[in-house]
Amino acid sequence: MHHFHYSGSDLHCESVDLAAVAKLYGTPTYVYSAATMEDNFRRLQRGLAGLDAQLCYAMKANSNIAILRHFANLGAGFDLVSGGEIRRVLAAGADVKSSVFAGVGKTEDEIALALKNEIFAFHVESEPELARINHVAGKLGVKAPIAIRVNPDVDAHTHAKITTGKSDNKFGIPLKHAAAAYEAAAKYPNLAIKGVQMHIGSQLTSVTPFVEAVEKVAPFAAELKAKYGITYFSIGGGMGIIYKDSLASGQQAWWDAQPADKRPLTPETYGAALVPLLKPLGLKILLEHGRFMVGNSGVLLSRVEHLKRGAGKNFLIVDAAMNDLVRPAMYESYHEIVPLRRDSSRRALTADVVGPICESGDCFAKDRPLQEVGEGELIAFMSAGAYGYAMASRYNTRGMAAEVLVKGSSFELINARESFEQIIAGEKVPAFLK
Ligand code: LLP
């Protein structure tokens, strides 16, 4: 469920008319619903009731400091992956103490920054990394809390670029070598073994791979508890969201109409399948969901530049582009596209929805059935709250889009559109070219 809906003919986020946001801040602009994020957080919490569970929101999905603050206020920690993300948590006025640090290539400086801010744990992906963390902790005279990321070799049945738990991915240590890695970790004087971690992939639409992975790793977690006194098991993130039917899925009626065996994955079914497997471990359970927390909480607003009618093909050229939302170009992913003003008297249109960037990959949708819209009219890309702004770039010297957060009938700019001066601020022509 989410808080994007038509009120009369006009698309709203909570009680805010999205056309008013576009008028004030221009386009392309990301708009997020604080209520949807809170709802997602609470549903996940309820789904896992009975466990000592803690969300470490995977902030790579959307790391705007307002959103970090919102999740911190709700009680979340963070799953972070760089020194920059540590600094974002601090800039949000939140705490690194309940956050975990993942990633295959943490630098010495990043490790030191995490230790100085009392990170909850490092999620270690290789044996050389154990040595590096031990070395940095020794220099600082502290013990570094660690958990090893184990790779359970489970097929997450998701896009190849976002599956992470197969043995041919770069992530984690294969389960069969993990015991030896823990033995190695136990010998380092400056490491403290705290837990075990796994993450099998992103945008999972069935609970089966999660169950398979937990069943594989849980006996090992129990062994580690007995041997090293670990206190937690992080089962990663990866819960998928609805991209097709994204708008309708905001309404309870849509859910009621889904046949029981075709229902998309929900935090309720996720919890019902996993709680009985995890509870007997008696460990704290960390969750690292990113997409589920924010994906359906955000849309990207865009304005139509032209409707170009070609030979046997129509192109709807809009002012957002692959630099603003790269997921369709990168993963062939689907985002629902809807008009901000719904008008049943309009004709239907089938068009490729494209941005103005000079390459054919700058395409959001092919042969998409739409309501006819023309120059100056507004559209929204649905389910763009996760890995939208976070993966944006300045390609074609297009500044980063604006971001707005809605709460009830209030909305505020949480990130101003980037100016040309900001884009080139670090650039200069060297003396030898002058
Ligand atoms: N934990 C770890 C260790 C991860 O690598 C990731 C995501 C997550 C948690 C969060 O996964 P989520 O709950 O968001 O599925 N850019 C891609 C997704 C990349 C995910 C990378 N790792 C996309 O736009 O689909």
Side-chain angles (χ1 to χ4, degrees):
M1 243 87 69
H2 58 70
H3 295 75
F4 293 90
H5 58 94
Y6 284 98
S7 179
S9 320
D10 298 310
L11 189 63
H12 281 60
C13 172
E14 304 189 29
S15 308
V16 171
D17 184 348
L18 287 171
V21 177
K23 190 165 177 216
L24 198 57
Y25 298 119
T27 50
T29 292
Y30 280 92
V31 183
Y32 309 116
S33 158
T36 304
M37 292 178 208
E38 177 164 354
D39 196 41
N40 291 340
F41 179 84
R42 301 227 182 271
R43 281 181 65 197
L44 186 63
Q45 221 175 19
R46 279 198 302 274
L48 294 160
L51 294 179
D52 175 13
Q54 164 77 40
L55 173 74
C56 290
Y57 162 60
M59 61 181 279
K60 61 169 81 70
N62 188 326
S63 56
N64 183 291
I65 61 171
I67 287 166
L68 302 185
R69 181 56 176 266
H70 186 35
F71 280 118
N73 289 349
L74 289 167
F78 301 98
D79 166 39
L80 45 84
V81 293
S82 68
E85 289 196 348
I86 297 174
R87 297 183 65 181
R88 275 186 178 276
V89 171
L90 299 173
D95 205 342
V96 176
K97 290 193 184 79
S98 47
S99 299
V100 291
F101 190 174
V104 296
K106 305 168 190 80
T107 67
E108 290 204 6
D109 284 349
E110 289 175 321
I111 294 166
L113 183 63
L115 285 170
K116 284 179 195 151
N117 285 286
E118 297 176 50
I119 192 94
F120 182 72
F122 292 92
H123 287 166
V124 180
E125 306 244 9
S126 66
E127 298 194 22
E129 199 192 326
L130 287 173
R132 182 179 288 183
I133 296 173
N134 177 67
H135 171 70
V136 178
K139 278 205 296 199
L140 294 176
V142 295
K143 273 204 165 204
I146 62 118
I148 290 177
R149 176 172 181 175
V150 300
N151 187 330
D153 194 19
V154 164
D155 192 342
H157 299 292
T158 183
H159 192 283
K161 284 184 186 155
I162 53 178
T163 189
T164 51
K166 289 285 291 166
S167 55
D168 55 359
N169 295 129
K170 68 180 175 183
F171 300 102
I173 292 182
L175 197 50
K176 61 174 187 292
H177 301 147
Y182 273 93
E183 272 165 39
K187 293 197 182 100
Y188 285 109
N190 309 315
L191 299 183
I193 297 173
K194 294 286 185 194
V196 61
Q197 198 267 354
M198 65 172 204
H199 171 75
I200 56 174
S202 197
Q203 184 53 19
L204 272 72
T205 51
S206 148
V207 81
T208 314
F210 288 115
V211 168
E212 208 184 310
V214 168
E215 280 175 340
K216 274 187 157 178
V217 177
F220 183 57
E223 267 172 48
L224 295 172
K225 188 182 174 195
K227 201 163 175 189
Y228 302 108
I230 65 162
T231 57
Y232 81 90
F233 177 14
S234 170
I235 62 168
M239 204 179 351
I241 61 163
I242 296 167
Y243 283 103
K244 292 209 164 105
D245 275 345
S246 169
L247 183 63
S249 71
Q251 309 295 319
Q252 183 62 46
W254 184 88
W255 290 88
D256 294 342
Q258 301 306 305
D261 60 331
K262 298 254 157 44
R263 276 199 160 207
L265 184 58
T266 62
E268 292 77 23
T269 46
Y270 174 82
L274 297 181
V275 170
L277 303 174
L278 294 167
K279 200 173 164 62
L281 291 172
L283 290 169
K284 187 181 180 80
I285 302 299
L286 300 193
L287 300 143
E288 301 169 4
H289 294 289
R291 187 190 317 262
F292 175 75
M293 307 314 301
V294 291
N296 69 352
S297 313
V299 297
L300 172 61
L301 303 183
S302 181
R303 191 175 296 273
V304 175
E305 296 290 1
H306 304 288
L307 172 56
K308 176 176 169 182
R309 296 192 188 270
K313 191 92 165 159
N314 298 315
F315 294 97
L316 192 67
I317 303 166
V318 302
D319 70 354
M322 64 190 288
N323 74 300
D324 302 299
L325 177 64
V326 77
R327 301 191 69 258
M330 192 153 174
Y331 312 115
E332 299 86 41
S333 60
Y334 180 100
H335 285 267
E336 191 174 359
I337 302 170
V338 296
L340 257 56
R341 167 150 287 196
R342 202 165 49 175
D343 181 353
S344 56
S345 68
R346 292 283 182 94
R347 280 184 305 184
L349 167 76
T350 298
D352 284 11
V353 181
V354 300
I357 283 182
C358 301
E359 61 175 282
S360 308
D362 184 23
C363 178
F364 293 109
K366 286 217 177 295
D367 298 320
R368 182 67 67 86
L370 301 160
Q371 165 192 308
E372 189 171 274
V373 277
E375 186 177 333
E377 291 188 296
L378 295 161
I379 59 165
F381 293 89
M382 301 300 298
S383 299
Y387 306 109
Y389 188 92
M391 295 179 76
S393 74
R394 299 175 181 83
Y395 187 36
N396 275 213
T397 308
R398 292 167 51 88
M400 297 288 281
E403 294 177 288
V404 169
L405 184 63
V406 171
K407 188 169 194 279
S409 54
S410 314
F411 62 97
E412 220 173 284
L413 191 65
I414 57 169
N415 197 359
R417 185 176 309 286
E418 195 177 31
S419 67
F420 172 72
E421 288 69 28
Q422 288 171 314
I423 297 175
I424 63 156
E427 298 181 27
K428 73 179 182 86
V429 177
F432 57 76
L433 290 182
K434 281 181 186 158

mmCIF file of all heavy atoms in Angstrom, residues 14 66 82 99 103-104 122 140 154 166 181 197 226 239 252 292 304 329 346 350 380 391 416:
data_model
loop_
_atom_site.group_PDB
_atom_site.id
_atom_site.type_symbol
_atom_site.label_atom_id
_atom_site.label_comp_id
_atom_site.label_asym_id
_atom_site.label_seq_id
_atom_site.Cartn_x
_atom_site.Cartn_y
_atom_site.Cartn_z
ATOM 1 N N GLU A 14 -0.306 11.761 -0.641
ATOM 2 C CA GLU A 14 -0.997 12.102 0.608
ATOM 3 C C GLU A 14 -2.038 13.177 0.267
ATOM 4 O O GLU A 14 -2.817 12.970 -0.662
ATOM 5 C CB GLU A 14 -0.003 12.482 1.709
ATOM 6 C CG GLU A 14 1.040 11.350 1.935
ATOM 7 C CD GLU A 14 1.922 11.538 3.138
ATOM 8 O OE1 GLU A 14 1.523 12.152 4.124
ATOM 9 O OE2 GLU A 14 3.055 11.019 3.105
ATOM 10 N N ALA A 66 17.074 13.827 4.716
ATOM 11 C CA ALA A 66 15.736 13.946 5.333
ATOM 12 C C ALA A 66 15.129 12.554 5.512
ATOM 13 O O ALA A 66 14.469 12.272 6.520
ATOM 14 C CB ALA A 66 14.829 14.810 4.448
ATOM 15 N N SER A 82 29.851 3.067 2.519
ATOM 16 C CA SER A 82 30.993 3.922 2.178
ATOM 17 C C SER A 82 31.189 4.959 3.271
ATOM 18 O O SER A 82 30.291 5.199 4.094
ATOM 19 C CB SER A 82 30.740 4.653 0.851
ATOM 20 O OG SER A 82 29.696 5.596 1.009
ATOM 21 N N SER A 99 24.344 1.013 13.167
ATOM 22 C CA SER A 99 24.482 0.778 11.727
ATOM 23 C C SER A 99 25.558 -0.254 11.436
ATOM 24 O O SER A 99 26.500 -0.435 12.212
ATOM 25 C CB SER A 99 24.833 2.082 11.019
ATOM 26 O OG SER A 99 23.805 3.016 11.205
ATOM 27 N N GLY A 103 30.134 -4.153 2.137
ATOM 28 C CA GLY A 103 30.869 -3.823 0.908
ATOM 29 C C GLY A 103 32.174 -4.582 0.802
ATOM 30 O O GLY A 103 32.823 -4.860 1.818
ATOM 31 N N VAL A 104 32.576 -4.897 -0.439
ATOM 32 C CA VAL A 104 33.743 -5.769 -0.637
ATOM 33 C C VAL A 104 35.080 -5.021 -0.596
ATOM 34 O O VAL A 104 36.123 -5.654 -0.550
ATOM 35 C CB VAL A 104 33.645 -6.553 -1.980
ATOM 36 C CG1 VAL A 104 32.470 -7.502 -1.976
ATOM 37 C CG2 VAL A 104 33.569 -5.605 -3.172
ATOM 38 N N PHE A 122 31.105 -4.418 11.260
ATOM 39 C CA PHE A 122 31.518 -4.501 9.859
ATOM 40 C C PHE A 122 31.013 -5.824 9.308
ATOM 41 O O PHE A 122 31.177 -6.867 9.960
ATOM 42 C CB PHE A 122 33.052 -4.505 9.752
ATOM 43 C CG PHE A 122 33.683 -3.211 10.142
ATOM 44 C CD1 PHE A 122 34.109 -2.991 11.455
ATOM 45 C CD2 PHE A 122 33.873 -2.201 9.206
ATOM 46 C CE1 PHE A 122 34.701 -1.793 11.829
ATOM 47 C CE2 PHE A 122 34.459 -0.999 9.570
ATOM 48 C CZ PHE A 122 34.875 -0.786 10.878
ATOM 49 N N LEU A 140 44.140 2.233 16.083
ATOM 50 C CA LEU A 140 43.280 3.120 16.888
ATOM 51 C C LEU A 140 43.146 2.639 18.329
ATOM 52 O O LEU A 140 42.511 3.295 19.148
ATOM 53 C CB LEU A 140 41.886 3.228 16.249
ATOM 54 C CG LEU A 140 41.801 3.918 14.884
ATOM 55 C CD1 LEU A 140 40.381 3.853 14.339
ATOM 56 C CD2 LEU A 140 42.243 5.380 14.975
ATOM 57 N N VAL A 154 22.357 -19.492 -3.221
ATOM 58 C CA VAL A 154 20.925 -19.667 -3.471
ATOM 59 C C VAL A 154 20.568 -18.778 -4.654
ATOM 60 O O VAL A 154 21.034 -17.632 -4.733
ATOM 61 C CB VAL A 154 20.114 -19.227 -2.219
ATOM 62 C CG1 VAL A 154 18.657 -19.010 -2.557
ATOM 63 C CG2 VAL A 154 20.258 -20.263 -1.123
ATOM 64 N N LYS A 166 24.719 -16.068 -5.205
ATOM 65 C CA LYS A 166 25.200 -17.250 -5.907
ATOM 66 C C LYS A 166 26.715 -17.333 -5.740
ATOM 67 O O LYS A 166 27.389 -16.320 -5.544
ATOM 68 C CB LYS A 166 24.866 -17.147 -7.411
ATOM 69 C CG LYS A 166 23.401 -17.304 -7.750
ATOM 70 C CD LYS A 166 22.923 -18.747 -7.667
ATOM 71 C CE LYS A 166 23.522 -19.614 -8.782
ATOM 72 N NZ LYS A 166 23.329 -21.044 -8.499
ATOM 73 N N ALA A 181 36.985 -19.119 8.003
ATOM 74 C CA ALA A 181 37.123 -17.658 8.067
ATOM 75 C C ALA A 181 36.879 -17.161 9.499
ATOM 76 O O ALA A 181 37.570 -16.266 9.987
ATOM 77 C CB ALA A 181 36.161 -16.997 7.092
ATOM 78 N N GLN A 197 26.186 -12.717 8.632
ATOM 79 C CA GLN A 197 25.347 -11.956 7.702
ATOM 80 C C GLN A 197 25.183 -12.696 6.384
ATOM 81 O O GLN A 197 26.068 -13.463 5.979
ATOM 82 C CB GLN A 197 25.990 -10.580 7.441
ATOM 83 C CG GLN A 197 25.053 -9.534 6.861
ATOM 84 C CD GLN A 197 25.072 -9.450 5.337
ATOM 85 O OE1 GLN A 197 25.863 -10.109 4.685
ATOM 86 N NE2 GLN A 197 24.175 -8.650 4.781
ATOM 87 N N ALA A 226 27.169 -20.910 19.691
ATOM 88 C CA ALA A 226 27.750 -21.803 20.700
ATOM 89 C C ALA A 226 29.260 -21.572 20.829
ATOM 90 O O ALA A 226 29.816 -21.555 21.923
ATOM 91 C CB ALA A 226 27.459 -23.254 20.320
ATOM 92 N N MET A 239 13.545 -7.617 -0.259
ATOM 93 C CA MET A 239 12.121 -7.802 -0.507
ATOM 94 C C MET A 239 11.684 -6.929 -1.696
ATOM 95 O O MET A 239 11.961 -5.731 -1.723
ATOM 96 C CB MET A 239 11.314 -7.449 0.739
ATOM 97 C CG MET A 239 9.987 -8.169 0.702
ATOM 98 S SD MET A 239 8.906 -7.896 2.093
ATOM 99 C CE MET A 239 9.846 -7.034 3.247
ATOM 100 N N GLN A 252 -6.369 -0.841 -1.002
ATOM 101 C CA GLN A 252 -6.699 -2.151 -0.424
ATOM 102 C C GLN A 252 -7.491 -3.003 -1.418
ATOM 103 O O GLN A 252 -7.287 -4.219 -1.511
ATOM 104 C CB GLN A 252 -7.500 -1.957 0.872
ATOM 105 C CG GLN A 252 -7.842 -3.246 1.601
ATOM 106 C CD GLN A 252 -6.606 -4.020 2.075
ATOM 107 O OE1 GLN A 252 -5.691 -3.434 2.633
ATOM 108 N NE2 GLN A 252 -6.568 -5.317 1.812
ATOM 109 N N PHE A 292 12.211 -2.045 -0.416
ATOM 110 C CA PHE A 292 10.866 -2.167 0.154
ATOM 111 C C PHE A 292 10.510 -0.928 0.982
ATOM 112 O O PHE A 292 9.361 -0.491 1.000
ATOM 113 C CB PHE A 292 10.728 -3.435 1.018
ATOM 114 C CG PHE A 292 9.391 -3.490 1.692
ATOM 115 C CD1 PHE A 292 8.259 -3.828 0.963
ATOM 116 C CD2 PHE A 292 9.240 -3.131 3.025
ATOM 117 C CE1 PHE A 292 7.003 -3.809 1.552
ATOM 118 C CE2 PHE A 292 7.988 -3.110 3.633
ATOM 119 C CZ PHE A 292 6.870 -3.455 2.888
ATOM 120 N N VAL A 304 6.056 16.815 -20.370
ATOM 121 C CA VAL A 304 6.157 16.399 -21.769
ATOM 122 C C VAL A 304 6.738 17.560 -22.580
ATOM 123 O O VAL A 304 6.251 18.692 -22.497
ATOM 124 C CB VAL A 304 4.765 16.015 -22.318
ATOM 125 C CG1 VAL A 304 4.844 15.704 -23.819
ATOM 126 C CG2 VAL A 304 4.188 14.834 -21.535
ATOM 127 N N ALA A 329 17.028 1.827 -18.402
ATOM 128 C CA ALA A 329 18.152 1.645 -19.327
ATOM 129 C C ALA A 329 19.112 0.577 -18.822
ATOM 130 O O ALA A 329 19.665 -0.199 -19.594
ATOM 131 C CB ALA A 329 18.893 2.969 -19.494
ATOM 132 N N ARG A 346 -9.877 11.770 -23.156
ATOM 133 C CA ARG A 346 -8.708 11.751 -24.047
ATOM 134 C C ARG A 346 -8.615 10.432 -24.810
ATOM 135 O O ARG A 346 -8.988 9.379 -24.288
ATOM 136 C CB ARG A 346 -7.417 11.892 -23.231
ATOM 137 C CG ARG A 346 -7.220 13.217 -22.572
ATOM 138 C CD ARG A 346 -6.766 14.269 -23.569
ATOM 139 N NE ARG A 346 -6.550 15.521 -22.873
ATOM 140 C CZ ARG A 346 -5.360 15.914 -22.398
ATOM 141 N NH1 ARG A 346 -4.303 15.155 -22.547
ATOM 142 N NH2 ARG A 346 -5.244 17.067 -21.777
ATOM 143 N N THR A 350 -0.263 4.974 -27.903
ATOM 144 C CA THR A 350 0.809 4.011 -27.625
ATOM 145 C C THR A 350 2.101 4.660 -28.083
ATOM 146 O O THR A 350 2.200 5.114 -29.229
ATOM 147 C CB THR A 350 0.562 2.685 -28.387
ATOM 148 O OG1 THR A 350 -0.673 2.149 -27.908
ATOM 149 C CG2 THR A 350 1.673 1.693 -28.123
ATOM 150 N N ALA A 380 3.964 11.145 -14.214
ATOM 151 C CA ALA A 380 4.742 10.631 -13.074
ATOM 152 C C ALA A 380 5.234 9.230 -13.396
ATOM 153 O O ALA A 380 4.492 8.412 -13.941
ATOM 154 C CB ALA A 380 3.875 10.593 -11.817
ATOM 155 N N MET A 391 20.896 6.732 -7.984
ATOM 156 C CA MET A 391 21.740 6.290 -9.097
ATOM 157 C C MET A 391 21.810 7.330 -10.205
ATOM 158 O O MET A 391 22.326 7.063 -11.293
ATOM 159 C CB MET A 391 21.197 4.971 -9.674
ATOM 160 C CG MET A 391 21.287 3.823 -8.694
ATOM 161 S SD MET A 391 20.618 2.290 -9.371
ATOM 162 C CE MET A 391 21.934 1.789 -10.477
ATOM 163 N N ALA A 416 17.625 20.804 -3.405
ATOM 164 C CA ALA A 416 17.375 21.759 -4.490
ATOM 165 C C ALA A 416 17.937 21.229 -5.807
ATOM 166 O O ALA A 416 18.935 20.513 -5.813
ATOM 167 C CB ALA A 416 18.025 23.091 -4.144
#
